[in-house]
Amino acid sequence: MISATDIRKKYLDFFREKGHAIIPSASLIPENDSTVLFTTAGMHPLVPYLLGEKHPAGTRLANVQKCIRTGDIEEVGDDTHLTFFEMLGNWSLGDYFKKEAIEWSFEFLTNKKWLGISLEKLAVSVFTGDKDAPRDEESAKIWQSFGIPKERIAYLPKENNWWGPAGQTGPCGSDTEMFYWSGDSAAPKKFDPEDKQWVEIWNNVFMEYDKQADGSFKPLKQKNVDTGMGLDRVMAVLNNEKSPFETDLFLPILHKIEELSGKNYTDDPKTRWSMRVIADHLRTAAFILGDQRGVVPSNVDQGYVLRRLIRRSVMHAKKLGVDKPFTREIGEIVVTEYSPAYPELEKNRTRVVDELAREEEKFGRTLEKGLREFERVLKKEGSLISGKSAFDLFTAHGFPLEVTEEMAKERGIVVDAAGFQKEFEHHQELSRRGAEQKFAGGLADHSQEVVRLHTATHLLHRALKNVLGEEIEQKGSNITAERLRFDFNYKEKIPADKLKEIEDIVNEQIKKNLPVHFEELTPEEAKACGAIGYFEDKYAMLNNKLKVYFVGDDKKGFFSKEICGGPHVEHTGELGGFKILKEEAVSAGIRRIKAAVSANQKK
Ligand code: SER
């Protein structure tokens, strides 16, 4: 087995040899950035330098960066999703560009002294080109010069081979990505990016543009390179394991959970899922608590994420039959395993383990009562737990929304997440901006992809009403860079022809390239103009006025009017083709649609 310690060391040694200064991992809590709660990529803390500020350590940098992404928290337990991960990265700040970046990536991946991956198992993708930037023949040629055959090079559009900006504006550019063949059979000659057995392991971004607020791409003063390699994925594929949980990133933690629960990781899928959730969440919690800017559990911001992670673990431990306090012991293991790479953990060991234990204890005090209250609510409310009840369970018994949702799901019941969010907003008086990041119903970030999907959500909402009836109401929404997810009331499976009709209506609005704008209206004005959405929505409310987004123009009549905090695209043509990926039941009377859009074709 190749250990995580080995890979981190090899990576940093290699780039040191290539003249890079090794910089420490920045804090998980971003500085001077209110748009996200956590550092989400290695380049994130480097944005000022990518824009031209001088970095004290020079123009070649490398590190291993701690990152947190909680957008897909409910998927944790499968083979790929994690809330915390480490990103190996190297950067050129106006120094080297494509040739060296690709040459070094190739050398590091294939040379026996480093990872020693056989050429047979590698494939790459490059940018196919569009109106904003040319086709990247240069990178393709460089790959070929090292022996990557033509059939193993895919040319892909912006949605695959473009990275950034991290927010709505900022540094970005096309990228070239490296894939590893993880299948048991020999790798096919031709690279098919759709085949999941090709696992993306590394991304070299050629950051040469600064995206402007008007959507245009201005060349940067300096051409930069930003690369990122997820340690967890590399660990899984190089060790020939299904997931990072079967590697030394997690095994010591999982062994402890086995010991505490008296169960085996391999007993059954449910046991494995719960063990993975506990290991993932408490590892992340330990990193947040042990961070150089560590925070403690609370009801706001990062503290709230931390609280959710710990409490969710406690619920899963309960399922495994763990009947005594356990988080302290897991915390000790995480600190011991990871402090050689992250010394701040050892320094903050007491805070990590004490705060874990304290939060577990606090939750434990209200848990039994809360469970009884949950049963009472179920009896009273039937198939949909109201936002108000979910919020009461949170304030009185400390059940984070996800915990209530998970318990409800086991009974085939859904929780009004948007209603919970509204209550939460009302009580916390959080800033509009903060609110948009924080909750399952809000925007995960303001990246182009997310903003496009956000506008697509409004189009879908309207199209659903047009096709299925005005009584359709939003019951929840969640957007990641890859897809939108929309929950709504409808009693049965939606027939394929209706789905197609809905999809067509959305695509028509995209084709028409309709303008999008917002107006600030009083709730009465909003109601009078026929806007849909939450009228009491506190986070869309500014000076007692609601923000209402309009899609279309006055002359022809608006396609959609919806109360919302934003942000949205300026024209629907910024969305490419809209596609419904899945339609399914969430519970009795509630359906869920997952959909995606391709990158913008025009503005
Ligand atoms: N920023 C790019 C990524 O997150 C490369 O580091 O993948």
Side-chain angles (χ1 to χ4, degrees), residues 95-295:
D95 188 318
Y96 58 87
F97 204 49
K98 294 184 181 175
K99 184 174 167 297
E100 294 87 340
I102 293 176
E103 181 181 336
W104 293 337
S105 288
F106 183 83
E107 184 182 346
F108 183 70
L109 290 176
T110 59
N111 191 300
K112 290 241 156 36
K113 185 167 169 210
W114 306 105
L115 297 189
I117 297 172
S118 126
L119 202 56
E120 266 308 297
K121 283 181 177 275
L122 288 177
V124 302
S125 64
V126 298
F127 183 50
T128 190
D130 64 12
K131 65 175 182 6
D132 298 319
R135 187 174 169 89
D136 193 4
E137 294 293 4
E138 187 186 347
S139 295
K141 282 215 181 78
I142 303 171
W143 284 117
Q144 281 179 55
S145 76
F146 294 117
I148 302 277
K150 265 205 175 89
E151 315 77 70
R152 288 277 180 87
I153 304 178
Y155 289 82
L156 300 173
K158 257 211 189 89
E159 55 180 322
N160 308 92
N161 281 67
W162 189 274
W163 207 89
Q168 263 187 312
T169 58
C172 57
S174 67
D175 65 44
T176 178
E177 299 180 8
M178 289 145 265
F179 295 78
Y180 179 94
W181 177 254
S182 67
D184 291 331
S185 57
K189 280 208 157 31
K190 191 165 163 52
F191 169 42
D192 171 10
E194 298 288 320
D195 185 338
K196 294 282 167 260
Q197 294 175 93
W198 287 106
V199 180
E200 187 213 320
I201 49 171
W202 202 355
N203 183 9
N204 285 6
V205 186
F206 304 118
M207 292 203 151
E208 46 182 327
Y209 301 103
D210 182 7
K211 189 173 183 206
Q212 307 292 298
D214 66 5
S216 63
F217 294 88
K218 196 173 116 195
L220 279 170
K221 284 202 289 283
Q222 64 188 35
K223 291 186 173 185
N224 306 300
V225 175
D226 155 38
T227 94
M229 182 195 266
L231 178 64
D232 51 296
R233 284 209 201 157
V234 176
M235 279 293 284
V237 297
L238 291 185
N239 288 302
N240 222 351
E241 295 291 353
K242 254 171 85 75
S243 88
F245 290 103
E246 283 81 31
T247 71
D248 75 5
L249 290 172
F250 284 101
L251 286 175
I253 310 175
L254 289 168
H255 288 150
K256 191 75 202 176
I257 300 172
E258 286 184 313
E259 186 192 311
L260 288 162
S261 64
K263 298 210 157 100
N264 288 323
Y265 177 64
T266 47
D267 278 351
D268 62 76
K270 275 196 172 159
T271 301
R272 188 172 66 206
W273 187 280
S274 286
M275 286 192 183
R276 284 179 172 188
V277 172
I278 298 168
D280 169 85
H281 287 11
L282 291 182
R283 185 176 77 141
T284 307
F287 268 93
I288 298 174
L289 286 162
D291 189 83
Q292 47 272 56
R293 265 191 235 135
V295 288

